[in-house]
């Protein structure tokens, strides 16, 4: 006879408790117990409860290896009758054997209806560190079950593969939004939709009557940043600054020579450069920068309200004044083919010519950002990382424990996006200039070019030559966060991988990397994505990239969507007239006629309001309330990581006090651990 004390912790979320009966089977090196009921007088397992039970084993099973948890309906009917299967969120079990220290078994899973879970003691184990055949078998069975539950599909050819589910209703509870988050999400959307519907804007297919009328959007929702944008959007310095700290801060690169298809001359730019210098001198000095939207050239465009829409593939040349002066636009060409029908627009041109040219660039920014920077890089790739993690790494693996907080709700929001955002008849199809066809073509083109170095911020900054351009807060804050994540990951890898050989010999890790390469990057060798990892250094960089992409990168390119787009002329989602082929034709009336219609503007603004705002149930970067790690060493590393992030946050907040437009998107408390909206 062996007596154990069992402590059980139930989650605090709405609906986490259960009326069902729970029992446990204790599996040891010398056998296993029968199911042992966890039963008190009265109700057990209410939300937020921690409860103690005593169980007696008929015989000693030896040192404990596993805990099997069984859940079944009670013999008597539930008080509320036979509703949907009763779900229970278990945080952890703690087992106190007759001799020795208590054993913690992390769970942090939903168990819906009748069923069983197998839990391991909390110490993280790499595959080669499990020697007992029972533990080895448990790893294999867990992965087989998850690979059956979470399967891949091709959504659109040429895109990264994704979860094989059609609607969020079909999702397993463990990857669904919480009740609170789901309710808040739909309430936010409903309130925005209702307001614009009542004001008659959402159904109005015609043009805006004036720029002044567009401010009616702010009567429904606004932010300080959106107000700032509406006041400064016509200024050249603000236009240029958005390539550094706006919604798409990933395209600007130092220009070492002028592209042959962008024939800017000294005479064109002399009014901005001033006397005593030239284009060649500034190129040699490193003060010229290029933003090239060439990937948009010839892209398929959409039809909105029965009217064909238009797109451009502009090139923008920018100049960094000496010292810490403003970045300024020098020249804009709205196509990749120079010639009489593709003039180079200049700050010295007529006001409306120049404003229209800048607005075409901003429309290109919208298309590039929403299809590539946001959807592809910050949603579809994190879904690949998430799905591979669930399919190839068991719960006891240190990389699963490290990465699972950074996968929270990603499969839910991406499934929802395929339902409500990028499917036929939805927002992208109804109200953007490229529509689903153009988005799809853009993603297919970018997948052919996508390189591992683009996903690693330090390499990306070096490749684009923007290490020293002043006032680049996306770079400054991003590099600090990358560094903090890298230090954290390095400490964790050092704990569990003593050598490069230990990395190579971890078959689960290698299967994870191989699946990301094949399902996410479609086995394209030219992507530079590794299909295996050979060293601890390579593993640290790879895991840092995954965590950064799923947290900070997504925050930087998602949280500011409403701020940038609420004043629609700053980031128009579509253009209704073709790009100008000559100068001197632009007028205020033609400018407004080029911009999106009222209903498309409102449709996109509602979507971006929702996508910019976490609907509650947040977990900021470095916040790990689910204690998957139970050993002291990783817990110390987590605490150190949190301290580093707090220090970074203090520095960002201090700097922002001196900025007219604070850059907040990479302040750690405002960064979500995962792609969850």
């Amino acid at each position: 006879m062996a007596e154990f004390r069992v402590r059980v912790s139930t989650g605090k979320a709405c609906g986490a408790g259960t009326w069902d009966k729970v029992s446990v089977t204790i599996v040891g090196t010398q056998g296993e117990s029968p199911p042992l009921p966890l039963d008190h007088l009265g109700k057990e397992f209410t939300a937020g409860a921690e409860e103690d039970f005593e169980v007696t084993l008929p015989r000693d099973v030896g040192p404990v290896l596993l805990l099997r948890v069984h859940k079944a309906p009670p013999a008597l009917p539930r008080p509320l009758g036979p509703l949907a299967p009763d779900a229970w969120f278990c945080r952890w079990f703690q087992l106190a054997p007759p001799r020795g220290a208590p054993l913690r078994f992390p769970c942090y899973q939903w168990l819906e209806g009748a069923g069983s879970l197998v839990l391991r003691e909390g110490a993280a184990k790499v595959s080669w560190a499990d020697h007992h055949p029972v533990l080895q078998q448990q790893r294999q069975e867990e992965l087989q079950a998850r690979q059956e539950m979470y399967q891949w599909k091709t959504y659109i050819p040429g895109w990264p593969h994704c979860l094989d589910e059609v609607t969020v209703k079909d999702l397993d509870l463990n990857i669904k939004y919480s009740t609170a988050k789901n309710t808040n999400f739909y309430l936010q959307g409903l309130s925005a939709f209702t307001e614009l519907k009542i004001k008659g804007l959402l159904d109005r297919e015609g043009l805006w009557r004036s720029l002044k009328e567009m401010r009616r959007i702010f009567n429904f929702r606004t932010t300080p940043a959106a107000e700032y944008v509406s006041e400064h959007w016509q200024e050249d310095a603000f236009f240029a600054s958005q390539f550094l700290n706006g919604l798409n801060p990933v395209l600007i690169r130092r220009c070492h020579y002028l592209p042959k298809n962008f024939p800017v001359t000294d005479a064109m730019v002399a009014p901005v450069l001033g006397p005593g210098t030239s284009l060649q001198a500034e190129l040699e000095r490193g003060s010229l920068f290029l933003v090239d939207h060439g990937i948009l050239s010839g892209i398929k465009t959409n039809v909105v309200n029965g009217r064909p829409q238009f797109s451009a593939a502009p090139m923008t040349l920018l100049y960094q004044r000496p010292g810490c002066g403003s970045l300024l636009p020098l020249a804009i060409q709205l196509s990749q083919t120079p010639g009489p029908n593709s003039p180079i627009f200049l700050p010295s041109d007529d006001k409306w010519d120049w404003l229209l040219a800048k607005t075409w660039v901003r429309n290109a920014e919208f298309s590039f950002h929403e299809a590539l920077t946001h959807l592809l890089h910050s949603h579809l790739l994190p879904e690949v990382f998430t799905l591979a993690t669930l399919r190839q790494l068991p719960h006891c693996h240190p990389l699963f424990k490290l990465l699972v907080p950074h996968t929270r709700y990603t499969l839910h929001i991406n499934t929802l996006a395929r339902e409500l955002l990028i499917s036929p008849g939805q927002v992208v199809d109804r109200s953007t200039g490229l529509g689903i066809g153009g988005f799809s073509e853009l993603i297919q083109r970018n997948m052919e070019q996508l390189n591992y170095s683009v996903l690693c911020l330090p390499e990306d900054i070096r490749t684009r030559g923007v290490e020293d351009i002043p006032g680049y807060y996306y770079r400054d804050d991003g590099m600090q966060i990358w560094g903090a994540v890298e230090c954290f990951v390095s400490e964790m890898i050092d704990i569990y991988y003593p050598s490069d050989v230990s990395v190579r010999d971890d078959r689960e890790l290698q299967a994870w990397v191989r699946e990301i390469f094949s399902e996410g990057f479609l086995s394209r060798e030219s992507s530079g994505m590794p299909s295996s990892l050979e060293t601890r250094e390579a593993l640290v960089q790879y895991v840092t990239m995954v965590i950064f992409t799923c947290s900070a990168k997504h925050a930087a390119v998602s949280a500011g969507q409403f701020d940038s787009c609420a004043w629609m002329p700053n980031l128009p989602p579509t253009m209704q007239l073709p790009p100008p082929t000559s100068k001197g034709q632009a007028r205020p009336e033609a400018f407004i006629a080029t911009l999106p219609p009222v209903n498309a503007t409102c449709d996109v603004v509602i979507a971006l309001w929702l996508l910019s705002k976490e609907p509650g149930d947040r977990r900021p970067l470095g916040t790990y309330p689910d204690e998957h790690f139970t050993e002291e060493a990783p817990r110390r590393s987590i605490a150190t990581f949190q301290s580093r992030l707090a220090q970074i946050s203090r520095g960002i907040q201090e700097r922002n006090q001196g900025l007219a437009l604070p850059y907040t998107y990479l302040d750690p408390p405002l960064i979500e651990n995962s792609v969850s909206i």
Side-chain angles (χ1 to χ4, degrees):
M1 303 282 281
E3 290 192 354
F4 283 75
R5 278 198 329 278
V6 182
R7 172 167 281 196
V8 187
S9 176
T10 296
K12 297 178 181 179
C14 175
T18 183
W19 289 92
D20 285 356
K21 292 300 178 184
V22 176
S23 58
V24 295
T25 297
I26 298 173
V27 181
T29 56
Q30 298 171 27
E32 61 182 72
S33 73
L36 306 165
L38 303 181
D39 205 356
H40 284 151
L41 285 174
K43 185 182 182 312
E44 303 90 18
F45 313 115
T46 55
E50 284 188 14
E51 300 161 283
D52 290 304
F53 304 87
E54 291 192 359
V55 296
T56 302
L57 280 63
R59 64 183 184 84
D60 186 13
V61 297
V64 176
L65 295 173
L66 301 171
L67 192 65
R68 288 203 186 98
V69 182
H70 315 283
K71 178 171 164 289
L76 297 174
R78 300 177 194 138
L80 299 178
L83 301 174
D86 193 4
W88 176 46
F89 187 83
C90 174
R91 296 181 68 238
W92 46 259
F93 280 78
Q94 186 165 288
L95 203 59
R99 296 172 300 280
L103 304 172
R104 178 66 68 93
F105 292 78
C107 181
Y108 302 104
Q109 296 177 70
W110 288 96
L111 189 53
E112 188 171 17
S116 298
L117 279 176
V118 180
L119 302 180
R120 300 263 308 232
E121 189 274 323
K125 289 285 179 67
V126 177
S127 58
W128 45 256
D130 258 346
H131 303 298
H132 199 283
V134 169
L135 297 178
Q136 292 172 353
Q137 183 181 355
Q138 182 274 327
R139 296 179 89 105
Q140 292 171 8
E141 290 175 352
E142 181 188 336
L143 291 180
Q144 285 169 1
R146 285 215 245 121
Q147 286 164 13
E148 288 177 15
M149 177 174 285
Y150 305 117
Q151 297 192 4
W152 296 98
K153 75 173 178 184
T154 300
Y155 181 65
I156 291 177
W159 287 32
H161 297 160
C162 64
L163 177 67
D164 187 11
E165 296 288 3
V166 177
T167 75
V168 291
K169 293 177 184 176
D170 303 326
L171 299 182
D172 167 53
L173 268 182
N174 285 299
I175 58 175
K176 267 187 178 176
Y177 269 5
S178 65
T179 302
K181 197 175 188 82
N182 201 49
T183 302
N184 287 342
F185 178 83
Y186 283 106
L187 285 176
Q188 284 179 14
L190 184 62
S191 69
F193 176 87
T194 303
E195 283 188 50
L196 290 176
K197 193 87 171 171
I198 288 171
K199 289 173 180 171
L201 297 178
L202 206 50
D203 296 322
R204 213 175 103 195
E205 294 186 0
L207 301 175
W208 291 95
R209 298 184 185 99
S210 64
L211 290 173
K212 184 178 180 181
E213 191 197 21
M214 293 176 195
R215 289 198 60 85
R216 289 184 66 188
I217 290 285
F218 290 149
N219 297 335
F220 120 82
R221 292 286 187 278
T222 190
T223 64
E227 294 283 357
Y228 185 93
V229 169
S230 74
E231 294 165 8
H232 297 273
W233 68 287
Q234 296 190 44
E235 298 169 10
D236 284 359
F238 179 68
F239 169 82
S241 75
Q242 292 187 88
F243 294 120
L244 301 175
N245 303 312
L247 204 53
N248 194 43
V250 298
L251 259 188
I252 186 169
R253 58 179 58 241
R254 195 178 301 274
C255 187
H256 298 290
Y257 58 89
L258 280 176
K260 290 181 180 177
N261 61 336
F262 194 14
V264 182
T265 66
D266 283 324
M268 291 178 181
V269 297
V272 177
L273 292 186
T277 188
S278 65
L279 281 170
Q280 187 57 39
E282 297 302 333
L283 286 167
E284 291 171 6
R285 192 176 290 128
S287 61
L288 298 186
F289 297 85
L290 184 68
V291 176
D292 189 349
H293 292 94
I295 196 170
L296 290 163
S297 188
I299 208 79
K300 180 181 178 182
T301 53
N302 198 16
V303 174
V304 174
N305 297 338
R307 291 183 58 179
Q309 305 296 292
F310 297 90
S311 179
M315 289 187 283
T316 306
L317 188 65
L318 302 134
Y319 169 56
Q320 175 65 54
R321 283 175 167 170
C324 291
S326 299
L327 186 70
L328 293 172
L330 277 180
I332 294 170
Q333 181 177 285
L334 295 179
S335 80
Q336 298 288 306
T337 308
N341 293 326
S342 184
I344 294 175
F345 292 92
L346 306 167
S348 54
D349 289 340
D350 172 80
K351 170 190 170 180
W352 290 101
D353 279 341
W354 180 234
L355 183 61
L356 183 60
K358 289 191 294 181
T359 305
W360 273 103
V361 173
R362 298 300 298 158
N363 168 251
E365 280 282 271
F366 177 92
S367 299
F368 187 104
H369 167 268
E370 292 298 346
L372 303 180
T373 311
H374 186 218
L375 177 57
L376 174 58
H377 294 192
S378 304
H379 276 268
L380 303 184
L381 294 184
E383 179 169 5
V384 170
F385 304 147
T386 297
L387 203 43
T389 299
L390 291 174
R391 287 171 47 86
Q392 301 299 342
L393 300 175
H395 274 80
C396 63
H397 198 291
L399 288 180
F400 180 90
K401 292 172 181 276
L402 179 61
L403 291 170
V404 72
H406 303 286
T407 67
R408 185 173 183 251
Y409 298 147
T410 299
L411 297 178
H412 181 109
I413 191 60
N414 280 13
T415 303
L416 194 63
R418 285 187 283 273
E419 266 188 89
L420 301 181
L421 201 65
I422 56 174
S423 57
Q426 300 298 336
V427 180
V428 169
D429 197 31
R430 288 193 304 258
S431 300
T432 68
L434 299 190
I436 297 168
F439 267 48
S440 180
E441 190 179 346
L442 259 188
I443 288 172
Q444 290 160 347
R445 289 184 184 187
N446 194 240
M447 284 291 289
E448 292 296 319
Q449 307 169 359
L450 187 57
N451 194 275
Y452 183 37
S453 64
V454 172
L455 305 178
C456 298
L457 184 66
E459 288 188 37
D460 179 49
I461 294 296
R462 279 195 299 273
T463 301
R464 292 190 286 119
V466 289
E467 302 97 316
D468 57 359
I469 186 169
Y472 195 2
Y473 308 123
Y474 165 74
R475 174 203 60 206
D476 297 344
D477 300 352
M479 288 293 286
Q480 286 192 84
I481 290 165
W482 178 281
V485 172
E486 187 175 48
C487 285
F488 172 49
V489 170
S490 181
E491 288 177 17
M492 296 298 243
I493 298 304
D494 284 348
I495 294 168
Y496 296 104
Y497 292 92
S499 65
D500 291 344
V501 172
S502 66
V503 171
R504 290 196 290 272
D505 288 350
D506 183 354
R507 62 181 183 276
E508 291 162 347
L509 158 64
Q510 299 299 341
W512 175 67
V513 174
R514 192 161 52 250
E515 186 156 274
I516 290 170
F517 175 70
S518 61
E519 301 290 345
F521 293 81
L522 310 182
S523 300
R524 279 183 49 255
E525 297 285 348
S526 60
S527 69
M529 276 303 282
S531 56
S532 63
L533 295 173
E534 304 294 320
T535 66
R536 293 196 300 175
E537 182 182 5
L539 176 57
V540 168
Q541 183 186 37
Y542 193 91
V543 174
T544 301
M545 177 275 296
V546 169
I547 293 175
F548 185 86
T549 301
C550 293
S551 56
K553 177 68 177 292
H554 177 256
V557 304
S558 178
Q561 289 179 98
F562 180 80
D563 293 343
S564 293
C565 196
W567 179 246
M568 178 271 291
N570 182 62
L571 202 69
T574 186
M575 300 291 256
Q576 299 200 88
L577 295 177
T581 55
S582 62
K583 298 186 183 185
Q585 306 300 311
R587 297 290 181 272
E589 302 76 22
F591 180 80
I592 289 172
T594 305
L595 295 175
V598 177
N599 61 340
T601 301
C602 296
D603 203 16
V604 170
V605 165
I606 289 173
L608 298 189
W609 167 257
L610 276 174
L611 296 177
S612 302
K613 191 174 173 60
E614 282 287 346
D617 190 11
R618 294 193 61 239
R619 292 195 180 169
L621 182 60
T623 304
Y624 304 123
D626 296 351
E627 297 174 338
H628 291 280
F629 286 103
T630 59
E631 311 100 292
E632 193 56 40
R635 290 162 75 95
R636 278 198 305 270
S637 292
I638 288 170
T640 302
F641 180 44
Q642 291 168 339
S643 295
R644 285 192 184 113
L645 292 174
Q647 186 177 0
I648 291 169
S649 177
R650 287 192 294 271
I652 289 172
Q653 291 178 24
E654 186 177 334
R655 176 205 66 207
N656 282 344
Q657 288 177 4
L659 299 180
L661 180 61
Y663 186 76
T664 59
Y665 306 128
L666 287 176
D667 188 1
L670 303 181
I671 297 171
E672 193 70 13
N673 259 335
S674 59
V675 178
S676 61
I677 187 63

